[in-house]
Amino acid sequence: MNNIQPFHLAIPVNNLEVCRTFYRDVLECNEGRSSDIWVDFNFFGHQLVIHYKPEEQKKVLHTNLVDGKNVPVPHFGVVLIWEDFHNLSEKLIKKDINFVIEPYIRFKGEVGEQATMFFLDPSGNALEFKAFKNMNQLFAK
């Protein structure tokens, strides 16, 4: 997993300024280039662009049952280092993030042990952050 290239992801948001504040101030992502309809962010080393798109209708959150929890689909996020995950989750708890799935440990003591959490941005885009106890088990069965 050496030399992983950064991904580029562009997502729709229905309020550019509210979402700009969320990604910049809540998730502490550095802002890059922008216009009056989009903003680039350094999303944990990756390029995330929020693009304004008017809200056409209220989105219904779709979920799939995983570990007895309703995991939002679609979702995106980052695999962090174990300590970084716990530091971020503590910051988000202090910032009163409304979690879809609160931080917890999956596969405790097993291959692929991981910490995970889910929450929504102000436009309803679902984010998952996770960390593996042993990063070499990212794709282990």
Side-chain angles (χ1 to χ4, degrees):
M1 288 191 3
N2 293 336
N3 301 321
I4 293 177
Q5 297 299 305
F7 67 74
H8 164 81
L9 178 65
I11 61 170
V13 298
N14 57 33
N15 186 316
L16 194 66
E17 287 310 311
V18 169
C19 288
R20 172 184 250 155
T21 299
F22 174 81
Y23 285 97
R24 183 189 61 219
D25 299 345
V26 175
L27 293 183
E28 301 176 4
C29 296
N30 290 327
E31 186 175 322
R33 294 173 299 274
S34 66
S35 79
D36 55 345
I37 57 170
W38 58 267
V39 182
D40 275 348
F41 288 98
N42 178 343
F43 187 75
F44 302 85
H46 303 281
Q47 185 187 37
L48 175 68
V49 185
I50 58 173
H51 282 269
Y52 174 72
K53 178 183 175 191
E55 189 170 23
E56 296 164 357
Q57 61 184 18
K58 191 68 178 168
K59 287 194 245 182
V60 176
L61 184 64
H62 176 80
T63 62
N64 285 338
L65 198 60
V66 177
D67 290 345
K69 299 178 185 337
N70 291 312
V71 171
V73 177
H75 63 264
F76 72 96
V78 176
V79 177
L80 299 171
I81 294 170
W82 192 259
E83 295 79 21
D84 293 344
F85 173 89
H86 292 286
N87 290 336
L88 177 62
S89 66
E90 289 172 15
K91 283 183 184 179
L92 295 175
I93 289 167
K94 288 178 184 172
K95 292 179 180 185
D96 292 323
I97 286 296
N98 184 20
F99 291 98
V100 174
I101 298 175
E102 292 188 10
Y104 81 104
I105 306 297
R106 296 183 70 203
F107 311 120
K108 191 167 183 81
E110 300 177 30
V111 172
E113 181 175 344
Q114 60 191 264
T116 186
M117 62 181 157
F118 288 83
F119 51 92
L120 305 178
D121 77 6
S123 285
N125 294 300
L127 292 93
E128 176 186 17
F129 285 82
K130 62 170 58 178
F132 285 79
K133 188 77 169 189
N134 179 344
M135 190 63 87
N136 292 328
Q137 295 180 352
L138 179 64
F139 298 107
K141 292 182 180 184

